[in-house]
Amino acid sequence: LGIITAATIRLHGVPDSTAVAVCNFPSVANAIDAATQVIQCGIPVARLEFLDDVGIAACNAYSKLNLNESPTLFMEFHGTEQSVKEQAELAADIASTNNSNHFNYADDPSERKVLWTARHNAYYASIAFGDGSRGIISDVCVPISRLTEAIVKTKSLLSEKSPKSTIIGHVGDGNFHCMLTVDDNDENQMKHIKSCIHSINRLALEMDGTCTGEHGIGIGKRYLLEEEIGSSGFKLMKLIKSSLDPHNILNPGKIFI
């Protein structure tokens, strides 16, 4: 709704020190519990990302890496040299408490780049690893307190219905993405994938979350909007839309039909 006429850019200085840590876990629950505890303990991580075992396997194949194919957290720390070390030490303690079997730390720029390679190429790696010709991404977001439960249940669902699909999580804010590969020409496969995405959306709503954390409602999830925000909220949004755009020329037919 609307036309962008101006944008304001806020610049931030380069941190005095930056470090990266990559740690593996024996289970999805262990990894997400660790991520949740890092946030709850107030460690000011600059980035906190998650890749499941399938995602790591895909990255190994795509980027010619040799990472342990298990649920993995990627963390980045910013600050002074001393504060970065302290943050990393606290995060390592939390990871160890949650049965992490490997904590790889690097503050050298070239080493940091290597450690982030898997996460940066996860999208393309997932498409190449899957059986289909196209990747469909769906994201949801849940309260941090329900994040472990949400991702564990989503992982179980994907393992059963779409075993080569991957989970990529911005777990620091409760948001995670599922990358499902599909053959556009296979009608049954498309129906199967859409059913899987619907189940994940429904799971997020049942946990007091949202059916989309970053991607927006759009055509694919508009049928869930009223359920998520309630009838009153839906009517209010529709009223704002009609008031500001009475001729329905701004993004027509996307949300309100």
Side-chain angles (χ1 to χ4, degrees):
L1 175 64
I3 298 170
I4 297 173
T5 59
T8 300
I9 299 175
R10 178 178 294 176
L11 300 178
H12 294 271
V14 177
D16 292 339
S17 181
T18 300
V20 169
V22 176
C23 44
N24 315 116
F25 297 85
S27 72
V28 169
N30 284 145
I32 306 305
D33 279 345
T36 301
Q37 290 164 24
V38 164
I39 297 301
Q40 291 174 333
C41 286
I43 301 173
V45 283
R47 287 195 280 181
L48 179 52
E49 301 284 310
F50 168 76
L51 271 178
D52 69 352
D53 56 326
V54 181
I56 295 294
C59 290
N60 278 342
Y62 182 81
S63 299
K64 304 297 185 292
L65 302 173
N66 190 32
L67 299 175
N68 187 327
E69 294 180 2
S70 59
T72 301
L73 291 180
F74 298 79
M75 307 184 207
E76 186 166 290
F77 311 97
H78 294 173
T80 64
E81 185 175 343
Q82 182 61 32
S83 70
V84 163
K85 288 181 179 179
E86 290 173 354
Q87 292 172 45
E89 287 172 1
L90 288 171
D93 287 343
I94 291 172
S96 177
T97 300
N98 287 280
N99 302 314
S100 174
N101 48 36
H102 185 69
F103 191 91
N104 194 353
Y105 173 89
D107 54 12
D108 177 78
S110 59
E111 292 179 21
R112 297 200 318 257
K113 184 177 181 180
V114 170
L115 291 181
W116 272 113
T117 297
R119 177 61 187 89
H120 288 163
N121 293 331
Y123 172 81
Y124 303 104
S126 296
I127 293 177
F129 194 67
D131 298 323
S133 58
R134 181 166 73 93
I136 296 179
I137 307 177
S138 184
D139 82 317
V140 296
C141 190
V142 298
I144 287 289
S145 61
R146 305 295 298 274
L147 186 60
T148 297
E149 181 185 2
I151 295 184
V152 166
K153 287 185 175 180
T154 298
K155 178 63 177 175
S156 177
L157 177 70
L158 293 180
S159 296
E160 177 188 348
K161 295 188 174 183
S162 185
K164 283 201 169 183
S165 295
T166 62
I167 299 177
I168 303 168
H170 309 313
V171 289
D173 58 8
N175 180 223
F176 64 94
H177 307 251
C178 299
M179 166 65 81
L180 306 99
T181 55
V182 62
D183 182 350
D184 288 331
N185 299 315
D186 189 329
E187 194 172 313
N188 287 331
Q189 193 180 87
M190 282 294 293
K191 189 180 295 184
H192 181 76
I193 291 299
K194 286 180 179 179
S195 173
C196 191
I197 290 173
H198 173 76
S199 297
I200 296 167
N201 292 334
R202 178 69 55 206
L203 177 67
L205 293 183
E206 289 171 358
M207 294 185 176
D208 297 321
T210 173
C211 64
T212 178
E214 293 179 334
H215 296 182
I217 295 294
I219 294 172
K221 297 185 179 183
R222 64 185 174 194
Y223 72 98
L224 291 168
L225 180 59
E226 186 169 2
E227 178 181 345
E228 179 172 321
I229 66 174
S231 177
S232 297
F234 185 80
K235 288 177 182 177
L236 178 59
M237 289 178 70
K238 200 167 184 177
L239 178 61
I240 293 171
K241 164 70 171 173
S242 61
S243 299
L244 298 179
D245 182 21
H247 301 295
N248 196 29
I249 61 173
L250 301 174
N251 212 10
K254 226 11 170 354
I255 304 297
F256 305 110
I257 300 175

